[in-house]
Amino acid sequence: MNRGAALLVALLVATSTVTMAAAGAAATTAEESRTTIEADAEVDSGTGLETTADASTETETTLATQSDADGSAYAGANVAFDVEGDAITDYRVGGERTFASVAVQSQREADSSSSGGLDGSLGLEAATNLNGAGLSVASQTQASAQIRAESGATLSAHDTQRGTLVVESGDEAQYVEADLAAEAEASEEGERVRVETGDRQGVFLVVGDGEVGVADGNVTADLGANATLAFRSYADGERDERAQYEESLIAEGSAAVDVTAEQRDGELVTDAVTYGQETSANVSQSANNRVNVTIDRAVHEGTVVMTTVSEEAVGNLEDISVRIDGEAAVEASSKSELESAIGGDQSRYMVVQDAQAEGQATVYIAVNHFSTRTATIDGNGSGSDDSADGSSGGSGGDSSGASGDSTPGFGAGVAVIAISMAALRTRLER
């Protein structure tokens, strides 16, 4: 084989290799684009989307979750507990033991099995020495665990700084009893109950038809159908005026969603707490510096979505914008102006920097009405739909002049090789 022929063969092999690599890259790009939840946005470095997190990914992961022989233990960054038969046991927040056990039972079952023949008139007293319904862990994610009770109630623990524990009664009235840890104390605070342990304090509150109180030193609750009991925990000094404002919004039914999006070990971790009223929520990051919260709500009435975001999740906390279903929300200048958006013509939001945690802020979003709405929190401050720049589809707006079966992004390289081959062929023919 002469030298010219050898060069021709080498160029043919190179062309084949580049084409195969381009096809493989295109297949990888197509697969990655299918995992993106919403429209892509350019990353600041211009390299495209680096991280995508969604609810389905969290459902499948069990990081920060440990299973004992029965698969019933949970150990996260902030919350740890066990599930033993008819109770959640050894519930800890921030390493501090708060409850020895938490049990729930339907009022119908508890009243009928009582030796005293209770008829439900005793209310909170009937929840003492409760024979709890059987519990089973329904699901675990990186930031939460959901437990189902045979009585029809649902309990959910959320691995956030608040260590939130929520009990939803479901279609049937329920009793709840929380036996405190040895070092914990409970006291009534109006319609709420405050629990103090070492360097932390927490608050129980009820959303809907029900009440919570203290009996025999422990916390008991009487929940009507479709009511919610929620416990929120605070480190020393964190239960300030803003925290109590949030508690009021929840108890009054004005805030039905509490969202967290933060970085842990370089990974975005998200969680959504819902407080009854047939509301569910999913959190995702579809682009750098952008967090999406999709809320599905059976009732038309609007609500406040409390979203705690870190600087790593949304970028510049000083330049946050909010869109609802792609339309810019109006920034409110006061709490009253924020809440007035519920049922109004336009959704509003308010950003409050967290004095207790550097690099963190809470975005209060008053969504004016429902059924399903998506709130987008953008730290770039543009408030615009980035899909208009042609970045959707994962190509960054660069089609490379490709059409038909050509492979985007590799046209220039293949063209150079083709030209070189043509020139070589001409020389050989001479």
Side-chain angles (χ1 to χ4, degrees):
M1 179 182 295
N2 61 34
R3 181 179 180 185
L7 286 173
L8 178 60
V9 170
L11 283 170
L12 286 171
V13 171
T15 303
S16 176
T17 302
V18 172
T19 302
M20 291 174 64
T28 302
T29 302
E31 179 62 28
E32 290 176 350
S33 67
R34 283 194 292 271
T35 66
T36 304
I37 302 214
E38 293 186 359
D40 297 335
E42 293 179 346
V43 180
D44 291 342
S45 62
T47 59
L49 185 62
E50 294 181 355
T51 303
T52 299
D54 61 19
S56 63
T57 301
E58 287 191 0
T59 301
E60 294 171 359
T61 184
T62 54
L63 297 175
T65 303
Q66 300 173 344
S67 297
D68 59 12
D70 298 325
S72 58
Y74 186 94
N78 302 285
V79 171
F81 63 90
D82 289 320
V83 177
E84 298 181 2
D86 59 359
I88 291 176
T89 61
D90 197 27
Y91 195 89
R92 298 172 182 266
V93 183
E96 291 193 12
R97 192 167 183 256
T98 306
F99 308 118
S101 66
V102 180
V104 60
Q105 182 59 278
S106 71
Q107 294 187 12
R108 174 181 51 79
E109 181 67 25
D111 293 347
S112 64
S113 62
S114 173
S115 59
L118 297 175
D119 59 4
S121 60
L122 292 181
L124 295 175
E125 294 181 12
T128 58
N129 301 315
L130 192 66
N131 292 321
L135 302 180
S136 61
V137 178
S139 63
Q140 296 183 357
T141 75
Q142 191 173 5
S144 66
Q146 187 177 80
I147 300 105
R148 298 192 191 282
E150 293 177 354
S151 65
T154 301
L155 301 86
S156 59
H158 299 268
D159 186 35
T160 65
Q161 294 177 8
R162 289 286 164 265
T164 306
L165 178 65
V166 176
V167 181
E168 294 181 307
S169 62
D171 296 333
E172 193 170 349
Q174 308 274 342
Y175 291 129
V176 182
E177 181 179 23
D179 290 344
L180 300 183
E183 59 275 21
E185 295 183 354
S187 59
E188 295 185 1
E189 186 181 89
E191 296 181 347
R192 306 170 197 174
V193 169
R194 184 174 68 250
V195 177
E196 296 183 276
T197 59
D199 295 330
R200 300 190 70 89
Q201 65 172 301
V203 175
F204 276 102
L205 50 88
V206 173
V207 184
D209 181 20
E211 59 178 332
V212 61
V214 180
D216 295 338
N218 294 316
V219 179
T220 59
D222 175 359
L223 301 178
N226 301 314
T228 300
L229 174 70
F231 172 77
R232 308 178 88 217
S233 179
Y234 306 90
D236 187 32
E238 283 186 341
R239 192 174 178 238
D240 53 15
E241 181 180 350
R242 182 162 66 91
Q244 295 183 55
Y245 169 67
E246 293 178 355
E247 292 170 11
S248 297
L249 288 176
I250 295 168
E252 294 166 2
S254 298
V257 182
D258 190 356
V259 169
T260 302
E262 61 181 359
Q263 289 279 347
R264 294 183 190 172
D265 299 325
E267 180 182 0
L268 179 70
V269 177
T270 63
D271 180 61
V273 184
T274 57
Y275 302 103
Q277 300 180 345
E278 300 180 86
T279 302
S280 62
N282 289 317
V283 190
S284 65
Q285 186 181 45
S286 64
N288 191 54
N289 296 343
R290 176 185 295 175
V291 171
N292 303 301
V293 184
T294 300
I295 309 106
D296 190 0
R297 189 167 160 87
V299 296
H300 181 73
E301 182 183 2
T303 191
V304 174
V305 180
M306 303 183 300
T307 306
T308 301
V309 293
S310 67
E311 196 169 42
E312 295 89 346
V314 298
N316 189 356
L317 297 177
E318 301 289 341
D319 199 18
I320 287 176
S321 64
V322 175
R323 300 194 307 275
I324 307 296
D325 295 337
E327 295 185 5
V330 178
E331 187 168 7
S333 59
S334 65
K335 297 175 183 177
S336 59
E337 187 176 19
L338 174 77
E339 295 173 46
S340 68
I342 298 177
D345 295 331
Q346 195 167 26
S347 299
R348 294 180 179 272
Y349 72 98
M350 185 167 63
V351 182
V352 179
Q353 299 288 335
D354 195 334
Q356 301 294 330
E358 186 178 353
Q360 183 173 287
T362 299
V363 185
Y364 299 92
I365 307 171
V367 183
N368 59 344
H369 65 80
F370 280 91
S371 55
T372 301
R373 309 292 296 275
T374 296
T376 300
I377 302 170
D378 195 333
N380 292 316
S382 62
S384 62
D385 187 350
D386 290 338
S387 63
D389 64 5
S391 61
S392 61
S395 66
D398 181 11
S399 64
S400 299
S403 61
D405 297 329
S406 62
T407 307
F410 286 87
V414 174
V416 170
I417 294 175
I419 292 170
S420 299
M421 287 179 63
L424 178 61
R425 187 179 300 111
T426 301
R427 289 175 56 191
L428 290 175
E429 289 174 352
R430 291 176 182 173

